[in-house]
Coordinates of all heavy atoms in Angstrom, one line a residue:
Chain N
T49 N 94.1 97.3 127.1 CA 93.0 96.4 127.0 C 92.2 96.5 128.2 O 92.7 96.6 129.3 CB 93.5 94.9 126.9 OG1 94.5 94.8 125.9 CG2 92.4 94.0 126.7
L50 N 90.9 96.6 128.0 CA 89.9 96.7 129.2 C 89.1 95.4 129.2 O 88.7 94.9 128.1 CB 89.0 97.9 129.0 CG 89.7 99.3 128.9 CD1 88.7 100.3 128.5 CD2 90.3 99.6 130.3
Y51 N 88.9 94.8 130.3 CA 88.3 93.5 130.4 C 86.9 93.5 131.0 O 86.1 92.5 130.6 CB 89.2 92.6 131.2 CG 90.6 92.3 130.6 CD1 91.7 93.0 131.0 CD2 90.7 91.3 129.6 CE1 92.9 92.8 130.4 CE2 91.9 91.1 129.0 CZ 93.0 91.8 129.4 OH 94.3 91.6 128.8
S52 N 86.6 94.4 131.8 CA 85.2 94.4 132.4 C 84.7 95.8 132.7 O 85.5 96.8 132.8 CB 85.3 93.6 133.8 OG 86.2 94.2 134.6
A53 N 83.4 95.9 132.7 CA 82.7 97.1 132.9 C 83.1 97.8 134.2 O 83.3 97.1 135.2 CB 81.2 96.9 132.9
G54 N 83.4 99.1 134.1 CA 83.9 99.8 135.3 C 85.4 99.9 135.3 O 85.9 100.7 136.1
E55 N 86.1 99.2 134.5 CA 87.5 99.3 134.5 C 88.0 100.5 133.8 O 87.4 101.0 132.9 CB 88.1 98.0 133.7 CG 89.6 97.9 133.9 CD 90.1 96.6 133.2 OE1 89.3 95.8 132.7 OE2 91.3 96.3 133.3
E56 N 89.1 101.1 134.4 CA 89.7 102.3 133.8 C 91.2 102.0 133.7 O 91.8 101.4 134.6 CB 89.4 103.5 134.7 CG 88.0 103.9 134.8 CD 87.8 105.1 135.7 OE1 88.8 105.6 136.3 OE2 86.7 105.6 135.7
K57 N 91.9 102.6 132.7 CA 93.3 102.5 132.5 C 93.8 103.8 132.0 O 93.2 104.5 131.2 CB 93.7 101.4 131.6 CG 93.5 100.0 132.3 CD 94.1 98.9 131.5 CE 93.9 97.6 132.2 NZ 94.5 96.4 131.4
E58 N 95.0 104.2 132.4 CA 95.6 105.5 132.1 C 97.0 105.3 131.6 O 97.7 104.4 132.0 CB 95.6 106.5 133.3 CG 94.3 106.9 133.8 CD 94.4 108.0 134.8 OE1 94.9 109.1 134.5 OE2 94.0 107.7 136.0
K59 N 97.3 106.2 130.6 CA 98.7 106.3 130.1 C 99.0 107.7 129.7 O 98.3 108.2 128.7 CB 98.9 105.3 128.9 CG 100.3 105.3 128.3 CD 100.3 104.3 127.2 CE 101.7 104.2 126.6 NZ 101.8 103.2 125.5
E60 N 99.8 108.4 130.4 CA 100.1 109.8 130.1 C 98.8 110.6 130.0 O 98.0 110.7 131.0 CB 100.9 109.9 128.8 CG 102.3 109.2 129.0 CD 103.1 109.3 127.7 OE1 102.7 109.9 126.7 OE2 104.3 108.8 127.7
R61 N 98.5 111.2 128.9 CA 97.3 112.0 128.8 C 96.0 111.3 128.4 O 95.0 111.9 128.2 CB 97.6 113.2 127.8 CG 98.6 114.1 128.2 CD 98.9 115.2 127.2 NE 99.6 114.6 126.0 CZ 100.8 114.3 126.0 NH1 101.6 114.5 127.0 NH2 101.4 113.7 124.9
L62 N 96.2 110.0 128.3 CA 95.0 109.1 127.8 C 94.5 108.3 129.0 O 95.2 107.8 129.8 CB 95.5 108.2 126.7 CG 96.1 108.8 125.5 CD1 96.6 107.7 124.5 CD2 95.1 109.7 124.8
K63 N 93.1 108.3 129.0 CA 92.4 107.4 130.0 C 91.3 106.7 129.3 O 90.5 107.4 128.6 CB 91.9 108.3 131.1 CG 91.1 107.5 132.1 CD 90.6 108.5 133.2 CE 89.7 107.8 134.3 NZ 89.2 108.7 135.3
A64 N 91.3 105.4 129.4 CA 90.2 104.6 128.8 C 89.3 104.0 129.8 O 89.7 103.6 130.9 CB 90.9 103.5 128.0
T65 N 88.0 104.1 129.5 CA 87.0 103.5 130.4 C 86.1 102.6 129.6 O 86.0 102.7 128.4 CB 86.2 104.7 131.1 OG1 85.5 105.4 130.0 CG2 87.0 105.6 131.8
L66 N 85.4 101.7 130.4 CA 84.6 100.7 129.7 C 83.3 100.5 130.5 O 83.2 100.5 131.7 CB 85.3 99.3 129.7 CG 84.6 98.2 129.0 CD1 84.4 98.4 127.5 CD2 85.3 96.9 129.3

Side-chain angles (χ1 to χ4, degrees):
Chain N
T49 309
L50 302 169
Y51 294 97
S52 57
E55 188 173 4
E56 298 182 351
K57 289 189 175 176
E58 291 188 63
K59 180 179 181 178
E60 297 180 357
R61 294 176 292 280
L62 301 177
K63 178 180 177 181
T65 62
L66 182 66

